[in-house]
């Protein structure tokens, strides 16, 4: 939705496995997409740029921090334990960019 409203959105997916949704090949018994067109990925990702980062590696987290430094908003769907392990919890992100709005499914300070 933010991309639809004109925001420059960068989606971060795992460098090797991508978004878990990419693994869907059938939905309710029906094929999800044929060939290179996958509607379940195309529709929600329209208008977004994408980067693959394996955040379990510290070098990848540093690349993410570089993106965060110039971002207005940081959204994540990682659960609290994963955010802490990866170094992308609220305090980590605010240390990199104190002016960024930060949100996660239930991210609270």
């Amino acid at each position: 939705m933010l991309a639809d409203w004109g925001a420059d959105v960068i989606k971060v997916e795992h460098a090797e496995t991508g978004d878990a949704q990419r693994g869907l090949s059938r939905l309710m018994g029906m094929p999800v997409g044929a060939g290179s067109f996958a509607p379940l990925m195309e529709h929600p990702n329209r208008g977004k740029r994408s980067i693959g980062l394996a955040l379990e590696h510290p070098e990848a987290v540093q690349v993410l921090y570089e993106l965060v430094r110039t971002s207005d908003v940081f959204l994540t769907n990682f659960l609290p334990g994963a955010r802490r392990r990866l170094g992308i919890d609220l305090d980590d992100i605010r240390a990199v960019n104190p002016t960024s709005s930060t949100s996660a499914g239930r991210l609270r300070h």
Side-chain angles (χ1 to χ4, degrees), residues 68 89-103 109:
V68 167
D89 212 357
L90 180 60
D91 291 335
D92 303 309
I93 297 301
R94 288 215 172 131
V96 173
N97 182 345
T99 63
S100 177
S101 297
T102 307
S103 179
H109 187 65

Side-chain angles (χ1 to χ4, degrees), residues 37-96:
F37 180 65
L40 280 178
M41 288 302 294
E42 300 290 335
H43 182 69
N45 291 308
R46 69 192 181 282
K48 297 177 186 176
R49 294 189 291 154
S50 182
I51 185 171
L53 295 173
L55 295 176
E56 66 273 14
H57 300 293
E59 312 82 45
V61 175
Q62 292 306 313
V63 172
L64 179 66
Y65 287 169
E66 285 303 313
L67 292 171
V68 167
R69 276 182 189 44
T70 59
S71 297
D72 295 319
V73 178
F74 175 78
L75 301 168
T76 183
N77 62 354
F78 278 112
L79 294 173
R83 290 194 307 263
R84 278 190 297 278
R85 279 191 309 279
L86 295 170
I88 61 169
D89 212 357
L90 180 60
D91 291 335
D92 303 309
I93 297 301
R94 288 215 172 131
V96 173

